[in-house]
Amino acid sequence: MIASKGDKLMKKVIEIQHLSKSFGTHEVLKDIDFSVNKGEVVCVIGSSGSGKSTLLRCINLLETPSGGQIIYQGENILDNKHNINSYRTKLGMVFQSFNLFNNFDVLTNCLVGQTKVLKRSKGEAEKVAMKYLKVVGMDRYVNAKPRQLSGGQKQRVAIARALSMEPDVMLFDEPTSALDPEMVGEVLKVMKELAETGLTMLIVTHEMEFAREVSDRVVFMDKGVIVEEGSPEQIFNNPQNERTKAFLKRTLK
Amino acid sequence: MSIDWIISIVTDNWEMFLRGAWMTLLVAIVGTIFGALIGLLIGVINTIPKPDRGIKRFFLKFINAILAIYVEFFRGTPMIVQAMVIYYGSAQAFDLDLNRTFAAILVVSINTGAYMTEIVRGGIVSVEKGQFEAAQAIGMNHWKTMIHVVLPQVARNILPATGNQFVMNIKDSSVLNVISVTELYFQTKSIAGNNFRYFESFFVACVLYLIMTITISRILRYFEKRLDGPQNYQMMDDLTQIEGKKS
Ligand SMILES: Nc1ncnc2c1ncn2[C@@H]1O[C@H](COP(=O)(O)OP(=O)(O)O)[C@@H](O)[C@H]1O
Ligand SMILES: [Mg+2]
């Protein structure tokens, strides 16, 4: 069943080796080995506090890893000489709490990174922004300020903002966890459509149905380690590890 | 009869009153603007991320310590004393004869800067952490994050407190009469010294101070509303409309 994705599995977009992270004496990530391949959709599941957000935040260096390597385009970006900011433009991040820039309207939220960081011209940036605002169905709201939008709308704009940078991989940290139940669907639908376009996505989620549907691979984390990973069929229908079984039993009731 | 005295004082001295009021406004406006800039600059310097070790860390800590002393000193002493120390101190120590208006603006700016530093610090703290993280996540460095995302929000956050500081400066600049700056209090004192009608002369000064502070408060409130923008947004029905709007 992975055969159709065979060519995609060839190229690793990001590879993590022996990644560890401690807050003080609290070891939150322990010796994580993990990679995301081009065009792949990977969902990370696990109970709260298992280190999923920290893993994502270490990947785009919002947290500084305590040890290990992050390999991007053949180089370890944790080497001192590396330009963190240009690396970050290659990763799109979608936060649980949206984090749209409050001082800008919807369109400018999608422009500012393009013009100020990527140095695209205003005209080009607008074209790109409108393209992705259309993808998430928010193109009619270009003039709205974040405070005038619902949670689901904000999250869709946040996705468009990240896509506008045209990153190599999109990171989602529980994108629907802060939403009212009736708005979860609209965001998941957008993400499903994105997954179908072949976008590389790494998604932390508690939406098990969604994970089963869109993932090429599911990763189960517990207490700072990757306990088990495999195709959605393997993880959801035939988990090997006791901890995975217990977690799924709890969540799938 | 007081009313008659007030009328005659105003008709005889209106020019002096107005010149005094103008000097008060000038010192307060320029002092508040420079003070706000000082506060913003120091507030931003305080947020520069410190590396774990090395010379840059030491340097930043050193700068921050000096700035902390500046804030403590000017918040912990009365402006009337600061005026004396700066004006006569520079004359004595450096043989420097400061222009009195310049000295007045200098004192108010430095004093306001110390208070604004605290206000800006609060304004930066009240910007959600997520705003910084979202800016970093699209590759903005510290300065870009500050200039494009954080400071515009800080400016909005601190506007009421800055307006408050402005109104305080209009009133407190009266202490600058000790270095003979010809602001409103100084002028009124001269007028009253000539006619010996202290109550009536200072009553006129009172009214002028009130007119200034109330007008300024109103204007600032109007600006705050303007900055918040319209309550509603316009829906775009198709792309051509946006192209039209942008060109
Ligand atoms: N900034 C921090 N300082 C200290 N501890 C933290 C910090 N961020 C996360 N942690 C701890 O790390 C652990 C993993 O957190 P997190 O990665 O957010 O888990 P998850 O996203 O899986 O719920 C938790 O025990 C949490 O308390
Ligand atoms: Mg989390």
Side-chain angles (χ1 to χ4, degrees), chain A residues 44-53 174 204-206 208 220-223 243 247 250-251:
Chain A
V44 182
I45 59 172
S47 48
S48 160
S50 53
K52 308 180 297 297
S53 296
E174 297 194 32
V204 173
T205 186
H206 285 300
M208 295 302 153
F220 171 66
M221 278 185 73
D222 192 34
K223 300 199 178 87
R243 285 199 264 172
F247 170 76
R250 259 182 289 135
T251 21

Side-chain angles (χ1 to χ4, degrees), chain A residues 234-246:
Chain A
Q234 268 172 282
I235 298 292
F236 288 113
N237 300 343
N238 191 20
Q240 300 300 306
N241 192 290
E242 289 306 320
R243 285 199 264 172
T244 320
K245 287 179 191 167

Side-chain angles (χ1 to χ4, degrees), chain B residues 216-247:
Chain B
I216 296 296
S217 302
R218 289 287 144 83
I219 291 174
L220 286 168
R221 214 162 305 149
Y222 171 77
F223 267 116
E224 278 168 38
K225 285 222 182 88
R226 276 286 301 270
L227 260 184
D228 287 339
Q231 284 305 301
N232 299 307
Y233 53 86
Q234 245 184 316
M235 280 278 208
M236 287 296 154
D237 287 325
D238 58 23
L239 278 176
T240 49
Q241 236 175 303
I242 298 155
E243 313 281 66
K245 190 194 116 200
K246 294 282 158 191
S247 58

